[in-house]
């Protein structure tokens, strides 16, 4: 970067992943390379493989791939299913669309429950579909936990109840790529068979790792699954992971970062991390409501703690607006994806964020409206400030 275009201060990276990386994680990764077959690596391997389980609230195994979340998506399908198997999916937004397209490319048959992209997956509809499937043709139900494109969070406890109510044996697969470390996730209690997550969102790490929690039922299914896989095969991974090692060169630098990320989350307390996300999300929504703008998620029951998608008024382009915010205030906001491209933008309150980062972001958003000529009421930031100040004592009391 030349001296002319140096932008002093911090870039505000307010997109729902990748998210900013805390100094402690950056420092932890800044280490010399180690022998991935040596004794020292085994200590690190066992530490992260055991530590990551707590974040999924699982006693079963979590696989760590050197791949972004999409790699773990592919592994979740190829390790448990066979060509022509039917999977039930809910089109909650762009990430559900991409997972469904991948399933079809891999040779699976998909049945899709559509939505208007303003709501999470509907457990009642899932139950109906499963009850109608008396021949048990559906082998897996795949849902996105936090739909990062729309800011809607699916109630996984309700989805579990739907499978139970239908007495259906399908596997339950969950994309928790943008919810791990942001929203409560109970892999074991909710009877999830495969939960997929990534490093660069709520985990506050650089992109490059994915995590897959797998149940005993999923491991059983993997023994009969006929879809092709080699690099992503679970069996070799499970065999080597048993002693803390990997079948191929692991991303050692990222694993140092992961060990630190797990410590950071545990130091704060997992439930406190969730509460912080909830509070900053509510502050953001109060700002949006005070501006008189619409939140993409149309039912408060499904509001995302990680990201708020904001609809811009008719006749205005959300991407032109985002460019104005970037040019003037050095802040990246999330773009609208697929059918809401240009119509909405996203404010992330995900990962290593606090009161003032969110208020700083909202200030840039509000000033951006002014500069872009987007009609809005004043006072969004003030509404968020009031909420944050009002709840400050409760946060301190809870921590004490
Ligand atoms: C980011 C994201 C993905 C894609 O993950 P990559 O790490 O980019 O491969 C999939 N699903 C959801 C919900 C996401 O937020």
């Amino acid at each position: 970067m030349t001296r002319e275009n140096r932008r002093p201060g911090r870039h505000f990276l307010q997109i729902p992943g990748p998210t900013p990386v805390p100094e402690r994680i950056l420092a932890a990764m800044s280490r010399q390379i180690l022998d991935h077959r040596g004794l020292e690596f085994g200590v690190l391997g066992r530490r992260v493989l055991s530590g990551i389980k707590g974040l999924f609230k699982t006693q079963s195994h979590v696989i760590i791939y050197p791949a972004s979340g999409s790699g773990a998506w592919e592994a979740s399908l190829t390790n448990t299913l066979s060509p022509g198997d039917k999977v039930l999916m809910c089109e909650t937004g762009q990430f559900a669309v991409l997972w469904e397209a991948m399933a079809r490319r891999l040779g699976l048959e998909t049945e899709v429950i559509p939505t208007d992209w303003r709501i999470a997956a509907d457990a009642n509809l899932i139950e109906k579909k499963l009850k109608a499937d008396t021949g048990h043709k559906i082998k897996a139900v795949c849902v996105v936990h936090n739909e990062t494109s729309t800011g809607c969070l699916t109630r996984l406890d309700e989805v579990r109840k739907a499978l139970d109510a239908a007495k259906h044996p399908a596997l339950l697969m969950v994309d928790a790529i943008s919810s791990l470390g942001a929203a409560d996730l109970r892999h074991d209690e909710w009877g999830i068979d495969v939960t997929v997550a990534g490093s660069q969102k709520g985990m506050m790490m650089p992109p490059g790792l994915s995590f897959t929690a797998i149940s005993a039922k999923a491991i059983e299914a993997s023994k009969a699954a006929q879809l092709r896989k080699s690099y992503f095969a679970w069996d070799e991974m499970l065999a080597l992971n048993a002693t803390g090692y990997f079948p191929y060169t692991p991303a050692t630098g990222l694993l140092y970062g992961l060990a630190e990320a797990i410590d950071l989350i545990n130091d704060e307390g997992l439930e406190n991390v969730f509460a912080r996300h909830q509070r900053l999300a509510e502050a953001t929504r109060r700002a949006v409501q005070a501006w008189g703008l619409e939140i993409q998620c149309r039912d408060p029951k499904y509001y995302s703690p990680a990201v708020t998608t904001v609809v811009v008024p008719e006749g205005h382009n959300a991407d032109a607006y985002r460019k104005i915010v970037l040019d003037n205030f050095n802040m990246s906001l999330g773009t609208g994806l697929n059918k809401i491209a240009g119509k909405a933008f996203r404010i992330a309150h995900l990962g290593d964020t606090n009161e003032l980062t969110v208020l700083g972001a909202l200030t840039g958003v509000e000033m951006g409206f002014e500069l872009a000529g987007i009609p809005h009421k004043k006072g969004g930031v003030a509404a968020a400030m009031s909420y944050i100040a009002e709840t400050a004592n409760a946060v301190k009391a809870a921590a004490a």
Side-chain angles (χ1 to χ4, degrees):
M1 199 177 268
T2 62
R3 193 183 284 187
E4 287 76 42
N5 62 17
R6 178 184 121 78
R7 307 195 72 172
R10 268 213 181 186
H11 176 68
F12 265 60
L13 183 65
Q14 298 298 138
I15 62 172
T19 62
V21 180
E23 304 296 337
R24 259 177 68 181
I25 294 179
L26 290 174
M29 291 188 305
S30 182
R31 306 244 329 233
Q32 193 45 263
I33 304 306
L34 80 174
D35 172 7
H36 65 292
R37 310 265 183 224
L39 286 178
E40 198 190 336
F41 182 84
V43 176
L44 174 64
R46 289 188 291 276
R47 178 174 165 201
V48 293
L49 286 164
S50 114
I52 192 75
K53 293 183 185 193
L55 306 190
F56 284 91
K57 299 190 176 171
T58 186
Q59 308 283 329
S60 12
H61 194 73
V62 179
I63 283 175
I64 303 173
Y65 290 118
S68 80
S70 306
W73 260 0
E74 179 159 335
S76 68
L77 300 172
T78 57
N79 277 282
T80 56
L81 300 165
S82 298
D85 276 357
K86 190 164 169 181
V87 294
L88 180 64
M89 295 178 137
C90 301
E91 195 198 296
T92 44
Q94 174 64 0
F95 290 101
V97 163
L98 292 174
W99 202 8
E100 192 269 341
M102 175 188 273
R104 274 187 288 112
R105 278 200 300 268
L106 290 170
L108 297 166
E109 190 191 323
T110 62
E111 179 168 351
V112 178
I113 300 175
T115 75
D116 62 359
W117 284 39
R118 302 199 59 181
I119 199 86
D122 183 337
N124 290 322
L125 287 178
I126 293 174
E127 184 176 330
K128 250 196 219 160
K129 290 279 184 195
L130 292 176
K131 280 186 169 156
D133 179 40
T134 49
H136 295 166
K137 287 225 157 25
I138 295 169
K139 300 301 177 200
V141 176
C142 300
V143 291
V144 175
H145 188 203
N146 183 67
E147 178 50 80
T148 323
S149 58
T150 63
C152 297
L153 187 85
T154 286
R155 292 285 303 264
L156 296 173
D157 52 340
E158 293 180 1
V159 174
R160 175 72 257 165
K161 282 195 193 115
L163 271 93
D164 293 345
K167 297 194 176 62
H168 199 290
L171 295 166
L172 176 56
M173 298 200 200
V174 171
D175 168 351
I177 295 177
S178 63
S179 60
L180 186 75
D184 194 14
L185 181 70
R186 307 179 187 181
H187 180 84
D188 290 0
E189 186 184 325
W190 293 339
I192 307 171
D193 295 297
V194 184
T195 308
V196 169
S199 56
Q200 77 276 25
K201 300 186 179 182
M203 290 297 289
M204 310 175 285
M205 291 181 58
L209 290 182
S210 58
F211 315 109
T212 318
I214 50 182
S215 71
K217 183 173 161 188
I219 293 176
E220 204 44 46
S222 74
K223 292 177 183 153
Q226 294 299 315
L227 279 176
R228 296 222 176 165
K229 62 269 171 185
S230 169
Y231 187 79
F232 285 114
W234 286 351
D235 50 1
E236 268 189 50
M237 190 62 115
L238 288 171
L240 272 288
N241 280 178
T243 51
Y245 294 88
F246 289 76
Y248 38 77
T249 318
T252 48
L254 287 170
L255 294 181
Y256 278 131
L258 175 59
E260 193 67 23
I262 295 167
D263 282 354
L264 279 182
I265 290 174
N266 290 334
D267 287 354
E268 185 177 350
L270 194 50
E271 304 309 315
N272 295 332
V273 170
F274 300 151
R276 171 168 56 82
H277 279 83
Q278 292 286 5
R279 178 166 172 249
L280 298 178
E282 176 61 22
T284 303
R285 292 189 296 263
R286 294 213 179 184
V288 178
Q289 283 152 352
W291 289 321
L293 297 177
E294 222 178 317
I295 294 170
Q296 177 75 13
C297 180
R298 62 178 160 81
D299 184 343
K301 179 179 167 185
Y302 302 108
Y303 280 156
S304 164
V307 59
T308 300
T309 302
V310 183
V311 181
V312 299
E314 211 53 63
H316 294 270
N317 184 296
D319 287 329
Y321 160 75
R322 285 174 52 251
K323 184 170 184 318
I324 287 170
V325 170
L326 177 62
D327 290 349
N328 287 278
F329 307 121
N330 196 15
M331 173 163 69
S332 296
L333 295 166
T335 186
L337 294 168
N338 192 332
K339 63 175 164 189
I340 52 173
K343 297 182 179 154
F345 68 92
R346 296 173 294 157
I347 307 170
H349 22 81
L350 174 60
D352 192 35
T353 52
N354 64 21
E355 293 90 341
L356 297 190
T357 36
V358 165
L359 284 173
L362 295 173
T363 306
V365 169
E366 187 164 329
M367 291 190 295
F369 290 148
E370 187 77 42
L371 292 178
I374 290 184
H376 65 288
K377 291 192 218 107
K378 293 277 162 224
V381 174
M385 283 170 64
S386 298
Y387 176 74
I388 285 176
E390 274 161 28
T391 48
N393 282 332
V395 171
K396 268 204 294 197

